[in-house]
Amino acid sequence: MLIYRSMYLSQIKSQSITDFKKHLAENSAEFRGWLEQQGIVSFSLFNQGAFLFIYLEASKKAFSFSWETPYSERLEQWPGQAVLRNSIPLLDVFHDGVPEELNEWRGDRTVEQRSGSMVYLKPEQYCSYVFYHYQLQEENPESFNKTYTIGAYENMLFSYSELPESFSLSKPEGKLKTNHTPENWQEVMLPHFQLDQDEDVIWKTLETLFVL
């Protein structure tokens, strides 16, 4: 079975944050069953303030995630298409690996930790950030963890990864034959981020609300 992964963003109504979390905790079994009925084989939900960050793997290529009642009643609605949406797909900025067959992608490996993090880019540095990450992705695919991926909404980034690090049996071939990725990666990346002067952690760790 081929699997396809994607990332989404939702926003809880300000007056419903506590209620949303409580309802999810009390109805986790039903929510798990609903996800499985949608063809979702892996689902991780993270929270920061009113934002909900979603990473999922589904068995359908044209999959589009949307919250059902009663969760949808507690969420803000996004315009921009013919119908309002309670979750929007994040743009793919970077992926270290590309899942194919479910058994090959997940196999019998043990996932000890699922991590979600977020950060804001300086708007004027957005193109530079995407450029460097596409270059890294295609010059040296699966260079550190095939599960690591980054999605973007405006200048907000969401990253997802699983630990311990894992790699495919056969390393995928990238689209670039160049070798321009800078060795001083962290030094080059630092000016891209929108940080307060007293911040010593760039990526903020998100609260995990649910995993499948």
Side-chain angles (χ1 to χ4, degrees), residues 173-188:
E173 183 176 349
K175 297 178 181 178
L176 299 178
K177 304 304 180 184
T178 53
N179 186 28
H180 299 316
T181 298
E183 294 183 3
N184 57 335
W185 181 260
Q186 297 300 332
E187 182 181 344
V188 173

Side-chain angles (χ1 to χ4, degrees), residues 57-72:
E57 296 172 0
S59 59
K60 296 180 288 186
K61 186 175 184 178
F63 183 85
S64 180
F65 180 79
S66 179
W67 293 90
E68 295 294 313
T69 306
Y71 297 99
S72 60

Side-chain angles (χ1 to χ4, degrees), residues 143-158:
S143 57
F144 58 94
N145 185 350
K146 73 178 185 180
T147 66
Y148 189 79
T149 184
I150 302 174
Y153 171 69
E154 296 183 338
N155 68 319
M156 180 168 62
L157 301 178
F158 164 51

Side-chain angles (χ1 to χ4, degrees), residues 5-27:
R5 60 180 177 176
S6 52
M7 308 171 86
Y8 292 84
L9 177 71
S10 295
Q11 184 171 341
I12 312 172
K13 294 177 180 178
S14 58
Q15 71 274 19
S16 301
I17 296 176
T18 300
D19 184 49
F20 182 97
K21 292 182 178 181
K22 182 174 182 292
H23 184 83
L24 178 64
E26 293 175 348
N27 296 274

Side-chain angles (χ1 to χ4, degrees), residues 71-108:
Y71 297 99
S72 60
E73 299 170 348
R74 299 172 167 90
L75 299 173
E76 300 287 359
Q77 303 294 308
W78 258 278
Q81 292 190 359
V83 295
L84 296 177
R85 298 164 293 166
N86 55 40
S87 66
I88 55 173
L90 300 183
L91 298 178
D92 180 7
V93 171
F94 176 81
H95 52 267
D96 198 37
V98 180
E100 297 180 340
E101 290 287 343
L102 177 59
N103 291 336
E104 179 181 340
W105 176 251
R106 293 213 161 266
D108 58 356

